[in-house]
Amino acid sequence: AQSVTQLDSQVPVFEEAPVELRCNYSSSVSVYLFWYVQYPNQGLQLLLKYLSGSTLVKGINGFEAEFNKSQTSFHLRKPSVHISDTAEYFCAVSYALPGTYKYIFGTGTRLKVLA
Amino acid sequence: EAQVTQNPRYLITVTGKKLTVTCSQNMNHEYMSWYRQDPGLGLRQIYYSMNVEVTDKGDVPEGYKVSRKEKRNFPLILESPSPNQTSLYFCASRDKASGNTIYFGEGSWLTVV
């Protein structure tokens, strides 16, 4: 069965420090991979996505993620975080089933950037 | 501007009083869905619709109904709300052309007392 695991429920980090939010998935079929961000009291918005091609994907606000097929991972990174990056981050996987596409979200990682 | 609009954004209601959360998208997407978000559980899909008049259950459909009479609208109906339906609800539409990128509404905070 397909699944998405975000290993850290909370990640505190000091401002201007680098951060990595981890995401692993399991799937027996080809997948598309996404990261969404949810700022306080807001809906989710797309941060970046991997559909095909280069395994290093760049998104908004200086974030990037690397698709690693052998390790079935799609970790999100930022070299220097700001206070405004404080939010909840969701990893998601989309895969094809006959007649439809299934979407699975991880349980989220709360990033807390400290001054 | 491409958007998913849901209303109301905030609602407190009493057990058993029927309510509807409306959802509308302006991107001509065929696929729409409803999610609920609860602490520690992430996002769970309630219902989805692949097109007009085509709806199906997601992972947590109990206590909810939906309809899809028009492509742009996908209301969520709670016929007899109960306290365990207190949650943050998101409507979403999906763009098949971009690898199934999901566009979310801003969320509806529902409290059932």
Side-chain angles (χ1 to χ4, degrees):
Chain A
Q2 277 62 237
S3 66
V4 177
T5 302
Q6 291 183 245
L7 296 165
D8 305 299
S9 58
Q10 295 188 63
V11 174
V13 61
F14 285 104
E15 194 174 18
E16 297 184 9
V19 70
E20 178 180 83
L21 306 184
R22 296 178 292 170
C23 174
N24 287 87
Y25 68 94
S26 70
S27 177
S28 55
V29 299
S30 295
V31 296
Y32 298 138
L33 298 158
F34 303 81
W35 276 97
Y36 289 87
V37 59
Q38 183 181 25
Y39 297 105
N41 299 315
Q42 293 187 27
L44 284 79
Q45 64 184 87
L46 180 69
L47 200 56
L48 50 78
K49 62 186 174 186
Y50 171 79
L51 304 183
S52 64
S54 172
T55 57
L56 183 63
V57 179
K58 294 191 185 299
I60 61 172
N61 300 336
F63 283 93
E64 63 181 32
E66 185 154 22
F67 169 53
N68 188 320
K69 190 174 182 180
S70 62
Q71 296 188 8
T72 59
S73 67
F74 191 53
H75 300 332
L76 181 70
R77 301 185 183 101
K78 186 169 182 178
S80 174
V81 295
H82 301 127
I83 296 286
S84 58
D85 292 323
T86 294
E88 188 154 22
Y89 293 80
F90 291 91
C91 181
V93 167
S94 170
Y95 57 93
L97 287 174
T100 186
Y101 284 89
K102 184 71 174 175
Y103 223 98
I104 301 177
F105 285 90
T107 52
T109 297
R110 285 190 181 277
L111 175 63
K112 174 74 172 174
V113 181
L114 309 168
Chain B
E1 181 190 350
Q3 59 185 4
V4 178
T5 304
Q6 55 182 108
N7 283 293
R9 295 287 316 282
Y10 304 92
L11 180 64
I12 300 175
T13 190
V14 296
T15 299
K17 185 176 180 182
K18 180 180 178 180
L19 69 92
T20 299
V21 186
T22 64
C23 173
S24 180
Q25 52 100 358
N26 64 0
M27 294 168 279
N28 203 36
H29 292 160
E30 293 178 347
Y31 190 108
M32 296 184 73
S33 57
W34 277 100
Y35 292 87
R36 60 177 289 174
Q37 183 181 15
D38 301 288
L41 298 176
L43 287 157
R44 295 180 292 169
Q45 192 180 55
I46 303 170
Y47 267 93
Y48 65 94
S49 168
M50 295 182 68
N51 213 327
V52 175
E53 301 292 1
V54 181
T55 63
D56 207 346
K57 297 177 181 178
D59 300 316
V60 288
E62 294 77 23
Y64 305 94
K65 282 176 57 176
V66 292
S67 68
R68 186 91 181 274
K69 293 183 170 54
E70 307 165 278
K71 199 171 188 179
R72 63 182 292 123
N73 295 324
F74 189 45
L76 179 70
I77 303 157
L78 285 74
E79 292 270 0
S80 182
S82 62
N84 65 12
Q85 292 179 296
T86 292
S87 186
L88 175 58
Y89 292 86
F90 288 103
C91 181
S93 69
R94 186 186 292 187
D95 181 13
K96 208 163 47 174
S98 68
N100 289 311
T101 300
I102 291 183
Y103 294 83
F104 287 91
E106 291 198 332
S108 295
W109 284 96
L110 172 64
T111 301
V112 184
V113 299

